[in-house]
Amino acid sequence: MFSHSAFRPRCAKWLIATGLFLMLGACVDKPNTLERVKEDGVLRVITRNSPATYFQDRNGETGFEYELVKRFAEDLGVKLQIETADNIDDLYDQMHKPGGPVLAAAGLIATDTRKQQVRFSHPYLQVTPQVVYRNGQSRPSSANDLIGKKIMVLKGSSHAEMLAALKKKLPGIEYEESDAVEVVDLLRMVDEGQIDLTLVDSNELAMNQVYFSNIRVGFDLGDGSDQRWVVAPGEDNSLLNEINNFLDKVEKNGTLQHLKDRYYGHVDVLGYVGAYTFAQHLQERLPKYQKHFQVSAKEEKVDWRLLAAIGYQESLWQAGVTSKTGVRGLMMLTQNTAQAMGVSNRLDAKQSIEGGAKYFAYMKDQLDDKILEPDRTWLALAAYNVGSGHLDDARKMAENEGLNPNKWLDVKKMLPRLAEKKWYRKTRYGYARGGEPVNFVANIRRYYDILTWVTQPQLEGSQVADGNLHVPGVDKTKPTEGTNPTL
Ligand code: BLG
């Protein structure tokens, strides 16, 4: 039998030991969110399937949010697993489920309601909510003009919240929230007159403006807002801190700016007027030549949409044009090039496209084997425009500067020098308007991106699989995997 006094110290020791063990156990058993993600080797991210966030293009998965979050996963040394939500409410629901994705990267805005439910990261993109209307209708210029209009916005969006707040002051405002559409659908509905107005963020409008020739911005509703990532409720701050460090880092080292230029810089390339014009030409001019592009592309083993993009840059898809330097036709062939490619009539669209395709394929073929895709395509385009001799001069210059002559990003820095005497006098082929191929390639890349988006099979299933043009929409009922042709 144990005496009372003998029991107490031993019991105390046992309790302390057990307590320590449990505390230790707690530390070992419950890693923080960041540790858990690293242990699992997977970062589960939820997003929306839209051109501004995540979609499939000719090279596979892409989108501003996707690219940014992919870099974050790489930094963590883990694989990225993307999941898509049907709509914004669904996205937040998924985040609340235990065992759901830990992070949402979907162009989200920290509204008052959402801030009470989840934690937001530092901002990475400034956007402005814009009221969009149809050209020809009276232009809305203030909140009062929303009264009596048929308005639709995304369900659960920051825009729906803005309208709800506005309706308290202006009860005459009526609007519908839909969870069956994406931003592109809302813009198309305005473009086609099915609704009067919608509210979208400036970045989404910038991406889509080019597809809808009738949409216009009425006014900015409120001040700019910031897009942020969201960490699932119930998670500790370890992942959020890591995200914030990452976002600060990419802001400082220029990666973020590079992505913004890549995804949203095209409005600068095209300009708003250029965007409407392109949308119109897409419908009115391209159909006349699409078959020729497709046949020649097959022949030369290149993507027809790239050839079409060259054609647009050269002539805005017009067969009868002549430049002030005497270069002619839809693909703007010089007399020499036309002769070398067997083109007898440069103003004949079919011949011009065949000759241009052949010349482009030839330019690509004769590049150094060390030049890999996609740089090979961009350098071949530059050669198409400025000639392969001048391109070689710029590549040599890049090498002399310690840059990589096989990378377009480096060569394009050198090309404008070909117009400056202090540089071109030391080159083999001398003076060239080296700025021209830089713009040429930037524009073609943009047109190519647009054409890829409007012809992707995922948009409308089999009808588009044969390469017909469609104004974009997002079909959420279809899988997005594996549907894209590669470059
Ligand atoms: C290109 C030729 C190249 C030629 C370069 O000029 O034309 N490409 C084609 O004909 C497809 O072959 O290279 S070279 O043979 O090695 O000399 C340089 O002469 C055409 C360019 C010229 C440009 N567009 C295709 O991109 C053009 O028309 N520039 C004039 C613009 S403007 O009217 O003065 O504004």
Side-chain angles (χ1 to χ4, degrees), residues 37 93 122 142-143 183 185 217 238 262 270 324 377 386-387 393 421 433 438 443:
V37 167
D93 286 349
H122 290 174
S142 73
V183 173
D185 304 303
V217 176
S238 55
R262 172 86 187 89
L270 285 176
K324 35 183 196 273
T377 294
V386 76
D393 281 345
K421 193 167 179 186
R433 294 194 306 186
V438 177
N443 290 354

Side-chain angles (χ1 to χ4, degrees), residues 282 286-287 290-291 294 304-305 450-472:
L282 203 59
L286 181 59
Q290 187 172 332
K291 199 82 216 149
Q294 284 168 326
W304 78 265
R305 296 161 306 182
I450 299 166
L451 287 164
T452 303
W453 174 251
V454 288
T455 58
Q456 62 185 316
Q458 82 190 52
L459 290 180
E460 309 217 356
S462 57
Q463 213 192 343
V464 207
D466 58 5
N468 291 323
L469 289 173
H470 288 260
V471 174

